[in-house]
Amino acid sequence: MHRVSVCRTPDYSSGVMERAVESHFQTLGLDSLLKPGMRVTIKANLLMKRAPDEATTTHPALVRAVVRSLKKRGVSAITIADSPGGPYTVQALDGIYAASGMEQVAREEGVSLNRDTGYQEVPNPRGKLVRNFQLIHPVTQADLVINAAKLKTHCMTGLSGGVKNLFGCVPGLMKPEFHYRFPEKERFCEMLVDLCECVRPAVTFVDAVVAMEGNGPSGGNPREVGLTFAGRNPYAVDVALCRAIGEPPASIPILRCAIQRGLCPAGAEELALVGDAADFSAVEGFAKPTPHKLDFSTNMPAPLRPVLLPLVRRVLTPKPVIQNNRCIGCGKCAESCPAHTIELRERKAVINYSGCIKCYCCHEMCPVRAISVRRLGLFTHKKDRR
Ligand code: SF4
Ligand code: SF4
């Protein structure tokens, strides 16, 4: 049975967070993974330049607590890393490290921030769709990878937790290439499971003290959950996260794939939940992302899916809409669009919908929330507009 440790973590104060992370270490017996002198990379979710209280990035208090627990056990060669959205450059990384609070953690705790933008091909014999990945150096060169994720909704994949966080092990603008290569949600999520099998983090921590609900992973709203999660199996951790947000694991395509491959159980009741909050229940009315509310694929009879799904998706799948009054013409959406279907006209972004594959990378990367995700016509509701 997969063990997932769940701790009450009501706030980000250092005492509270350190107690929770220590408890995860002890409950999961993580000492056996560690050896003095080993190189450990903490792969945080540093999607974009946002302050910690915006709930878009892994909170620095979780990363600091993990660093302290590692140092207590004699591990000091620690690097904090991620390949955020957009170009993978030292300048972009430095801006995000400063905004997300990671720069302060690294300076005060005496650990490194990754500034090596190199990457390397890694074979993936367990892959179903992808048999080798290009992965960033701090992941390929580490003796141990610790996954430090954030609980968020996600417009495309439904949930951003432990497994989705690993997409940031793929360097910079190679990420949109995967969206273009696998425009269908199911296949994209199979690719994410392949990636997780390739990276194989030793342990996954999830910051769910304040999660993001609504149109995540960057356009939603902070929501208090008051928990942290940890486990050796990232899929099992995500199954537990589903319970916290009141979502059946089978409605999350990454988990559908993982369950089919026998990588995790189909429900939290089949996990060994441990820790002081093992009896946690769902947060009431946790808001789902707009596209997820219109995902009919799980309700449709299997024989009809190949015929009906493309039609239903074409008509009903919400689309990204630029709000001109908010757009500052930065071009980040165009830069991250895998279909190259966005251009700037008179310093405003314009989408050519004929090429749009509804991946929502543009929505995810807009720094000023100028792109909403909207249902069409009769299905549009004010609540879906930001
Ligand atoms: S929509 Fe957002 S990301 Fe795109 S150009 Fe405007 S402000 Fe930048
Ligand atoms: S316009 Fe936005 S949703 Fe459409 S393909 Fe480009 S990035 Fe994806």
Side-chain angles (χ1 to χ4, degrees):
M1 234 183 183
H2 300 288
R3 281 163 78 80
V4 178
S5 170
V6 194
C7 280
R8 262 178 256 294
T9 318
D11 59 56
Y12 287 114
S13 59
S14 60
V16 167
M17 189 56 90
E18 279 170 42
R19 191 170 33 79
V21 168
E22 257 311 299
S23 163
H24 291 309
F25 264 76
Q26 285 166 19
T27 307
L28 296 171
L30 299 182
D31 288 20
S32 61
L33 301 173
L34 306 173
K35 291 186 197 83
M38 76 190 319
R39 292 164 303 173
V40 173
T41 289
I42 301 176
K43 195 308 185 178
N45 185 330
L46 302 178
L47 176 63
M48 64 201 310
K49 218 168 163 178
R50 288 262 172 95
D53 60 3
E54 295 187 74
T56 306
T57 48
T58 308
H59 200 283
L62 175 76
V63 175
R64 188 190 292 275
V66 172
V67 166
R68 288 188 176 174
S69 287
L70 289 170
K71 287 201 304 191
K72 221 186 263 180
R73 290 161 173 82
V75 176
S76 56
I78 302 167
T79 301
I80 300 168
D82 192 13
S83 165
Y88 187 43
T89 62
V90 173
Q91 192 189 12
L93 288 173
D94 279 344
I96 293 172
Y97 291 147
S100 63
M102 296 301 157
E103 195 271 331
Q104 192 182 351
V105 170
R107 184 170 22 88
E108 292 174 357
E109 300 300 326
V111 298
S112 306
L113 292 170
N114 175 55
R115 290 194 174 86
D116 173 355
T117 54
Y119 51 88
Q120 181 183 330
E121 186 168 304
V122 178
N124 186 34
R126 284 178 295 270
K128 194 168 162 184
L129 297 181
V130 183
R131 302 301 291 258
N132 54 64
F133 281 98
Q134 304 288 345
L135 301 180
I136 58 175
H137 275 161
V139 167
T140 61
Q141 293 172 357
D143 298 311
L144 192 91
V145 174
I146 293 182
N147 190 12
K150 180 84 179 172
L151 171 57
K152 299 189 285 182
T153 47
H154 195 286
C155 279
M156 189 193 190
T157 61
L159 173 77
S160 178
V163 181
K164 179 66 177 62
N165 188 40
L166 298 174
F167 198 34
C169 298
V170 173
L173 296 174
M174 284 188 194
K175 288 192 282 294
E177 286 174 23
F178 275 111
H179 281 284
Y180 200 65
R181 195 167 149 199
F182 303 113
E184 277 293 312
K185 189 161 56 178
E186 289 297 325
R187 281 171 61 80
F188 184 79
C189 290
E190 285 284 11
M191 178 280 293
L192 289 174
V193 173
D194 281 351
L195 175 62
C196 188
E197 290 302 289
C198 186
V199 177
R200 292 177 84 80
V203 57
T204 293
F205 289 91
V206 180
D207 160 19
V209 180
V210 178
M212 178 175 278
E213 66 173 358
N215 282 339
S218 62
N221 299 309
R223 177 76 192 266
E224 278 179 33
V225 175
L227 299 171
T228 49
F229 293 78
R232 300 287 308 275
N233 177 325
Y235 313 101
V237 172
D238 283 0
V239 168
L241 296 180
C242 283
R243 170 179 281 187
I245 64 173
E247 190 69 33
S251 75
I252 302 297
I254 291 172
L255 291 176
R256 274 206 294 278
C257 300
I259 293 163
Q260 274 167 12
R261 292 197 207 181
L263 296 168
C264 67
E269 60 289 345
E270 295 172 61
L271 298 172
L273 294 170
V274 291
D276 69 6
D279 61 348
F280 71 101
S281 45
V283 177
E284 211 168 302
F286 195 88
K288 294 180 188 181
T290 304
H292 196 61
K293 285 186 267 188
L294 276 181
D295 186 356
F296 299 103
S297 52
T298 46
N299 304 335
M300 208 173 267
L304 297 180
R305 271 183 217 162
V307 182
L308 290 181
L309 258 186
L311 182 69
V312 167
R313 281 190 173 145
R314 196 166 59 242
V315 177
L316 294 182
T317 302
K319 62 178 188 176
V321 177
I322 311 282
Q323 295 169 283
N324 269 344
N325 56 339
R326 288 192 182 182
C327 175
I328 55 171
C330 67
K332 286 197 188 310
C333 52
E335 192 178 79
S336 60
C337 174
H340 305 294
T341 199
I342 305 179
E343 59 178 340
L344 289 183
R345 286 191 211 143
E346 295 172 2
R347 292 190 55 77
K348 296 288 176 193
V350 178
I351 298 174
N352 172 3
Y353 288 106
S354 65
C356 175
I357 57 170
K358 316 261 176 69
C359 64
Y360 311 119
C361 290
C362 51
H363 166 264
E364 188 172 324
M365 292 316 302
C366 178
V368 294
R369 303 178 186 231
I371 303 180
S372 53
V373 175
R374 292 191 193 167
R375 306 180 199 183
L376 302 177
L378 282 175
F379 296 92
T380 306
H381 189 281
K382 264 191 178 159
K383 264 186 4 193
D384 296 327
R385 304 181 178 195
R386 284 181 320 198

